[in-house]
């Protein structure tokens, strides 16, 4: 074994990868080390750490867990930091390949959603469109795509069967929700939704799922569309400052994620659509002018619905009203840039016609 740096020895003793990341916001020199339990650990960059079990020929899953794509969404960062710590100190051991990503270290350090641009609108090449790689978030989006590609495509000679790919991008919402936790299922271009994935979401205490109908510039759509991964954006609750999260509210998600990486299968219950609240996008309302205004209380929760005809927003002369029974609003944000999505309207949906 090569001489370990003091920093690395410290990391292996205490498992404080998040601290190491936050003290190296721009980059971190790659390091490879094998733990006493045989797990191969490699640090690829700041906030990027990969774990591989000793026995690589029996691995069936390639799992990516990401957090901190929005820097102030602390609960997922705490959950992932604790998971990495327990893996580094040998209290937990991976059964599958695992890549953990702390998405935006500079924003995590600043305690803000972003530094200059919303990182979760920059994937599937959007980082290089328009003005190009002009800021740290755009560069990070490109780098994260490269790390995910490398992780999924890295095949060892001993590998026999192809492995299933997963990416769970963990967030907390800006506002409260009628359903505290919910997941966004990226657009599958007509491919069937996966029963097993709904079962995993339920194990995470997530039974509200928004089914997207169009491509997006999000991290989860990128993994789903470019790598054929089962990928989700998972909103675990409302944004709170570090240390203010009531971790009991995340107990199920935390336990399911730990089981996912350390055991062959996660214990789940059989899929029953009646146990879920499923929605699909009915329309997106984009901000067209500086006059855009929302006509409901600031603290309205995600997935709130109003009677048909209720005025939701105005944009200059344009009025947006509820068009049908059951239509609910989600992610309202009047402060987005002109041309960007200010709100999504969703309606109840089913997956029974196309599920595998
Ligand atoms: Zn977020």
């Amino acid at each position: 074994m090569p001489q370990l740096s003091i920093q690395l020895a410290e990391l292996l003793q205490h498992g404080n990868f998040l601290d190491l990341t936050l003290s190296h916001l721009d980059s971190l020199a790659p390091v490879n080390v094998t733990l006493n339990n045989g797990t191969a650990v490699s640090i690829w960059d700041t906030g990027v750490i990969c774990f591989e079990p000793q026995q690589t020929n029996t691995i069936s899953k390639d799992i990516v867990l990401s957090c901190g794509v929005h820097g102030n969404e602390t609960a997922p960062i705490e959950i992932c930091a604790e998971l990495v710590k327990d893996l580094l100190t040998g209290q937990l051991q991976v059964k599958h390949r695992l890549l953990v990503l702390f998405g935006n270290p500079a924003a995590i350090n600043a305690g803000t959603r972003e530094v200059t641009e919303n990182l979760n609108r920059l994937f599937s090449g959007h980082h290089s469109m328009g003005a190009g790689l002009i800021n740290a978030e755009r560069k990070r989006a490109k780098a994260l795509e490269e790390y995910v590609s490398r992780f999924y495509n890295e095949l060892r000679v001993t590998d026999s069967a192809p492995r299933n790919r997963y990416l769970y991008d963990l967030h907390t919402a800006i506002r409260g929700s009628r359903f505290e936790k919910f997941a966004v299922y990226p657009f599958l271009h007509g491919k069937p939704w996966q029963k097993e994935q709904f079962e995993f979401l339920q194990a995470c205490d997530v039974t509200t799922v928004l089914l997207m109908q169009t491509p997006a510039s999000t991290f989860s759509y990128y993994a789903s569309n470019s790598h054929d991964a089962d990928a989700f954006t998972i909103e675990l609750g409302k944004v709170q400052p570090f240390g203010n999260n009531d971790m009991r509210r995340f107990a199920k998600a935390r336990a399911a994620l730990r089981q996912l990486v350390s055991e062959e299968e996660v214990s789940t219950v059989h899929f029953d659509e009646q146990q879920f609240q499923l929605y699909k996008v009915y329309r997106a309302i984009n901000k067209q002018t500086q006059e855009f205004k929302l006509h409901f209380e600031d603290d309205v929760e995600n997935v709130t619905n109003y009677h048909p005809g209720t005025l939701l927003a105005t944009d200059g002369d344009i009025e947006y009203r509820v068009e049908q029974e059951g239509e609910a609003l989600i992610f309202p944000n009047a402060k987005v840039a002109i041309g960007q999505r200010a709100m999504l309207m969703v309606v109840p949906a089913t997956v029974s016609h196309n599920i595998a």
Side-chain angles (χ1 to χ4, degrees):
M1 192 185 279
Q3 185 73 42
L4 294 181
S5 68
I6 293 169
Q7 205 169 44
L8 184 58
E10 164 98 351
L11 177 68
L12 295 177
Q13 194 185 347
H14 302 293
N16 51 355
F17 181 66
L18 178 59
D19 293 348
L20 185 65
T21 289
L22 296 183
S23 57
H24 297 79
L25 297 179
D26 298 326
S27 65
L28 198 56
V31 174
N32 297 299
V33 67
T34 303
L35 304 182
N36 291 336
N37 62 21
T39 303
V41 179
S42 42
I43 294 171
W44 293 358
D45 192 357
T46 184
V48 181
I49 188 165
C50 179
F51 296 88
E52 293 180 288
Q54 193 165 28
Q55 290 284 355
T56 55
N57 54 343
T58 56
I59 302 170
S60 59
K61 297 177 184 176
D62 282 350
I63 302 161
V64 180
L65 295 182
S66 56
C67 63
V69 164
H70 293 138
N72 60 345
E73 298 178 1
T74 52
I77 299 168
E78 290 176 44
I79 291 170
C80 288
E82 184 206 25
L83 178 72
V84 166
K85 178 185 223 165
D86 289 352
L87 291 170
L88 284 171
T89 55
Q91 293 187 52
L92 196 69
Q93 195 173 341
V94 285
K95 260 256 168 60
H96 309 279
R97 293 179 70 238
L98 170 68
L99 182 68
V100 181
L101 302 172
F102 294 85
N104 193 342
I108 297 172
N109 197 50
T112 56
R113 183 173 170 83
E114 62 216 29
V115 177
T116 43
E117 198 172 352
N118 183 350
L119 180 55
N120 210 21
R121 295 286 176 276
L122 292 173
F123 292 94
S124 298
H126 283 78
H127 48 72
S128 298
M129 292 177 187
L133 298 167
I134 49 167
N135 59 45
E137 268 114 4
R138 287 179 170 238
K139 289 174 194 152
R140 185 68 172 174
K142 183 168 188 283
L144 291 174
E145 286 185 2
E146 287 164 2
Y147 295 136
V148 169
S149 300
R150 173 178 158 190
F151 177 70
Y152 286 143
N153 294 323
E154 218 164 46
L155 285 173
R156 295 192 174 186
V157 279
T158 48
D159 277 349
S160 42
R163 301 181 298 260
N164 292 320
R165 297 169 171 181
Y166 306 90
L167 181 141
Y168 301 109
D169 184 31
L170 308 174
H171 289 250
T172 49
I174 300 174
R175 57 184 63 238
S177 171
R178 215 175 114 212
F179 308 105
E180 188 189 57
K181 302 176 173 65
F182 62 94
V184 179
Y185 208 140
F187 180 47
L188 296 181
H189 297 263
K191 285 187 288 182
W193 292 289
Q194 299 294 313
K195 213 175 263 185
E196 187 194 79
Q197 291 302 303
F198 284 104
E199 291 168 351
F200 175 69
L201 291 173
Q202 190 169 20
C204 292
D205 205 18
V206 176
T207 54
T208 303
V209 182
L210 176 59
L211 310 163
M212 300 306 281
Q213 316 286 303
T214 52
S217 47
T218 58
F219 200 22
S220 61
Y221 175 78
Y222 163 74
S224 170
N225 184 57
S226 297
H227 297 288
D228 207 19
D230 286 312
F232 294 84
T233 307
I234 302 181
E235 304 278 354
L236 288 175
K238 196 180 170 186
V239 167
Q240 306 286 354
F242 268 120
N244 286 22
N245 292 300
D246 176 358
M247 296 312 275
R248 284 170 302 182
R249 304 180 82 121
F250 308 103
K252 277 190 165 181
R254 176 183 170 277
L257 290 166
R258 293 169 77 86
Q259 206 181 14
L260 174 73
V261 305
S262 66
E263 291 179 30
E264 200 52 55
E265 298 297 337
V266 177
S267 9
T268 57
V269 294
H270 198 69
F271 176 67
D272 169 11
E273 194 179 285
Q274 300 307 314
Q275 306 292 313
F276 287 79
Q277 300 79 42
L278 304 179
Y279 291 91
K280 65 180 178 186
V281 177
Y282 173 64
R283 55 183 168 147
I285 293 175
N286 292 330
K287 177 171 174 174
Q288 296 176 34
T289 73
Q290 234 18 288
E291 261 98 274
F292 185 89
K293 186 173 180 305
L294 297 171
H295 287 259
F296 41 78
E297 293 301 317
D298 259 359
D299 58 353
V300 70
E301 298 187 316
N302 275 322
V303 208
T304 294
N305 52 4
Y306 296 103
H307 292 295
T310 306
L311 184 65
L312 297 166
T314 49
D315 198 353
D317 294 338
I318 311 164
E319 283 191 345
Y320 295 100
R321 291 178 183 275
V322 175
E323 291 179 359
Q324 57 169 268
E325 199 65 53
E327 193 181 351
L329 63 87
I330 202 162
F331 302 136
N333 185 356
K335 291 184 200 144
V336 296
I338 286 179
Q340 293 223 330
R341 185 185 82 199
M343 177 162 60
L344 275 182
M345 300 307 295
V346 300
V347 288
T350 171
V351 292
S352 57
H353 58 289
N354 191 18
I355 188 154

